Amino acid sequence: ASGSSLDWLSYLGGAGRDLAYDMDAVRDGSLVVAGRTTPGQGAPFPTTPGAFQPDAASSNRDLFAARLSADGTSLLWSTHLGGTSSDGGNTKVHVSSAGVVTITDGTSSSNFPVTLGALQPTHPSVPQGFESIVVSRIHPSGTSLLSSRYLGGTKREHPYDGLGLAVRPTGEVIVASSSESEDFPTSPDAPQSDKPGSLSGVIAELAMLPHGVTRYGEAMQGPHGALAMGVASWPQVGQAGFTITC
């Protein structure tokens, strides 16, 4: 309390260039750190057994997310998240009371991991080599993606220059950034649906529901039976957890 002692301190990285951009605390006191990692000549970025993406997807850079124990003595889980081009440069992360990790950043990868049923499953500006925004939700165990999608138009998005992330108590994800795209996806009743300048601010609210889930707290039959993604229930306000099925 006096500031005269250090409770704990740890490195987190490999032999390359690793940048931690954001972090959030879980209800149990553990911490989720997110950023970008670039492989080097030597030890790789540390990941854990069963991680969604244990190895780097490219020799360029990937996003990463890692959960550390409350006392800083162990790595509970750690994963890469990226495609074969350049990913990450301004990561924002939020952790729900149930431990669901929401991440947003930018990518120029055409094969960034997305999930079945994503509203924007392909990179909208790959031919031009521009960056798009990506939004992903990681399972509390770090072993799978609950939902993941692109967000952008056919010109350059600017998540590396400015990016905001908020999550409503009911689960919806709100992302704010800036865009050069005239065709950035807007809603029919948006107060400003036409881009007014060469670079304009954008804000979007996304459901980010796992495939087979119709709304928060309710499920439906998927193509392979009940909830192919294995999510049986979703946390609502005041609930601490949700159920996972095989």
Side-chain angles (χ1 to χ4, degrees):
S2 65
S4 60
S5 63
L6 179 67
D7 290 342
W8 62 267
L9 188 152
S10 176
Y11 286 101
L12 179 63
R17 182 176 173 83
D18 306 303
L19 301 175
Y21 287 114
D22 200 11
M23 65 186 298
D24 199 6
V26 189
R27 178 175 289 183
D28 64 3
S30 59
L31 301 171
V32 174
V33 183
R36 84 179 192 204
T37 176
T38 305
Q41 299 299 316
F45 187 89
T47 58
T48 49
F52 167 70
Q53 193 173 337
D55 301 316
S58 74
S59 60
N60 201 320
R61 67 191 194 211
D62 285 337
L63 299 178
F64 75 81
R67 184 170 175 176
L68 289 80
S69 62
D71 60 5
T73 61
S74 61
L75 191 60
L76 302 179
W77 59 260
S78 177
T79 184
H80 292 270
L81 181 62
T84 52
S85 189
S86 181
D87 311 299
N90 189 18
T91 320
K92 304 299 180 186
V93 65
H94 174 277
V95 185
S96 75
S97 60
V100 176
V101 177
T102 303
I103 286 181
T104 186
D105 206 324
T107 183
S108 57
S109 294
S110 61
N111 58 349
F112 189 92
V114 296
T115 49
L116 184 64
L119 290 180
Q120 199 167 6
T122 58
H123 196 304
S125 61
V126 166
Q128 295 83 7
F130 294 148
E131 292 82 19
S132 179
I133 300 167
V134 285
V135 188
S136 303
R137 272 193 156 148
I138 304 173
H139 187 281
S141 66
T143 59
S144 63
L145 285 182
L146 295 175
S147 57
S148 184
R149 60 165 291 170
Y150 291 96
L151 177 64
T154 52
K155 290 188 178 179
R156 188 183 302 277
E157 316 306 342
H158 287 256
Y160 304 151
D161 297 327
L163 188 63
L165 172 67
V167 178
R168 293 190 187 277
T170 46
E172 294 85 359
V173 178
I174 301 171
V175 176
S177 188
S178 52
S179 173
E180 295 180 19
S181 299
E182 287 84 3
D183 56 354
F184 194 96
T186 57
S187 50
D189 56 351
Q192 194 170 3
S193 57
D194 295 323
K195 187 168 76 73
S198 60
L199 181 65
S200 299
V202 288
I203 183 166
E205 181 171 331
L206 312 170
M208 294 299 294
L209 291 164
H211 182 67
V213 177
T214 55
R215 65 180 178 84
Y216 297 96
E218 182 177 303
M220 63 175 285
Q221 290 288 112
H224 304 292
L227 298 178
M229 290 292 291
V231 181
S233 65
W234 198 262
Q236 300 187 61
V237 179
Q239 292 182 337
F242 64 102
T243 303
I244 301 295
T245 59
C246 298

